[in-house]
Amino acid sequence: MPQNNYMELFKKRFGERLDADERRRKKEARAPHEQAQKAQALRGIRAKLYNKERFKEKIQMKKLIHAHQEKMIDVKVDKPEEGALPAYLLDRENVNRSKILSNTVKQKRKEKAGKWAVPVEKVKALSEAEMFQVVKSGKRKKKAWKRKVTKVCFVGDNFTRKPPKYEKYIRPMGLRFKKAHVTHPELKTTFFLDILGVKKNPQSALYTNLGVITKGTVLEVNVSELGLVTQSGKVVWSKYAQVTNNPENDGCINAVLLV
């Protein structure tokens, strides 16, 4: 292939077609349809790679749209008194121009920046040998790519298990928990609450995705029974709680509510 910018040179010397801009616009308009057709036609690993790239592009596009949702508003500011004001300025209020972000963006930023005073700050790192047990598979038990989780885990109600032949991580039914003993630090009372999900496992992102619960894991629990309300009067349905014990040893999950 030519290594120089011969197309740009040609445009400089001889110019473009009269309808070049229109053709370019039509090509850009056709692009999404062509991408959709290509995505439907591809099969196997090529389809997976192509869809992964498209997914990344869509995420970037959504982030850009959210960033552009900033809008200018007038915010009234109470200026401190620095002496007497003339009569015609008494009923005026100083106005400050400031930016306001959409609620969703603000909420996401709060979640990212949110830090709780967690009861368990440091946890002991667990090796993969402690977390998983190798399960031999195949006709002659020669294959060793399957893993059985040896720790307590949470699996949602709408979870559908993969066919056993293709399942890499096996979560035994006996180690699946749906409720936890959650202590409210201010009320000094313990409640038996439903687990809604695993927010963060400090050991690894893989364990978070698998729903593995170890000491120091942050859970999302249903606190509707406690009757908590926000400052605006809305009912709080869920809050985060950190696990303070080793559930696989105790046979139950003990956690402290993060308030």
Side-chain angles (χ1 to χ4, degrees), residues 167-231:
E167 190 178 34
K168 183 174 182 180
Y169 297 106
I170 302 160
R171 290 172 280 189
M173 290 291 290
L175 288 173
R176 294 185 191 179
F177 280 66
K178 299 209 171 172
K179 290 203 166 194
H181 299 97
V182 182
T183 304
H184 197 294
E186 291 170 3
L187 300 175
K188 307 289 184 190
T189 317
T190 303
F191 303 93
F192 195 43
L193 304 176
D194 291 318
I195 301 170
L196 298 176
V198 176
K199 176 70 177 172
K200 174 93 175 166
N201 189 316
Q203 303 289 343
S204 162
L206 171 66
Y207 304 151
T208 304
N209 294 337
L210 287 172
V212 176
I213 300 169
T214 54
K215 189 174 183 177
T217 303
V218 176
L219 305 174
E220 190 175 3
V221 291
N222 186 356
V223 293
S224 57
E225 297 173 14
L226 309 188
L228 301 175
V229 291
T230 59
Q231 290 178 347

Side-chain angles (χ1 to χ4, degrees), residues 32-69:
H33 300 284
E34 288 172 1
Q35 286 172 346
Q37 283 180 346
K38 188 178 177 183
Q40 288 173 359
L42 286 173
R43 293 287 180 274
I45 190 71
R46 286 185 179 180
K48 284 184 180 177
L49 292 171
Y50 184 75
N51 288 329
K52 196 175 181 182
E53 288 300 314
R54 290 283 297 135
F55 183 64
K56 286 179 184 174
E57 286 173 22
K58 285 177 183 175
I59 288 172
Q60 289 298 326
M61 199 183 296
K62 282 183 180 175
K63 282 183 180 175
L64 194 66
I65 290 165
H66 279 307
H68 285 297
Q69 281 181 342

Side-chain angles (χ1 to χ4, degrees), residues 117-161:
V118 289
V120 182
E121 292 179 2
K122 290 183 180 179
V123 290
K124 181 191 161 204
L126 294 171
S127 64
E128 198 171 318
E130 288 178 275
M131 193 69 76
F132 299 120
Q133 180 187 336
V134 178
V135 177
K136 300 282 179 124
S137 59
K139 190 177 179 182
R140 293 173 181 82
K141 304 294 178 188
K142 293 281 185 183
K143 295 174 184 174
W145 58 273
K146 289 191 176 191
R147 297 287 181 271
K148 185 162 74 175
V149 179
T150 58
K151 303 287 179 188
V152 166
C153 54
F154 168 77
V155 177
D157 293 327
N158 56 353
F159 168 72
T160 307
R161 191 183 167 192

Side-chain angles (χ1 to χ4, degrees), residues 218-256:
V218 176
L219 305 174
E220 190 175 3
V221 291
N222 186 356
V223 293
S224 57
E225 297 173 14
L226 309 188
L228 301 175
V229 291
T230 59
Q231 290 178 347
S232 59
K234 291 182 180 176
V235 177
V236 178
W237 292 104
S238 66
K239 280 186 93 64
Y240 296 131
Q242 191 185 32
V243 178
T244 55
N245 70 325
N246 293 310
E248 68 277 3
N249 296 342
D250 299 342
C252 66
I253 299 171
N254 297 335
V256 175

Side-chain angles (χ1 to χ4, degrees), residues 67 70-75 96-101 106:
E70 295 184 354
K71 52 178 182 262
M72 300 294 289
I73 62 156
D74 294 338
V75 178
N96 182 21
R97 297 289 288 172
S98 64
K99 282 187 180 179
I100 186 166
L101 286 170
K106 280 198 286 188

Side-chain angles (χ1 to χ4, degrees), residues 80-96:
E81 292 180 8
E82 296 174 354
L85 281 173
Y88 63 89
L89 287 178
L90 285 173
D91 57 341
R92 291 193 189 180
E93 290 174 329
N94 292 316
V95 172
N96 182 21

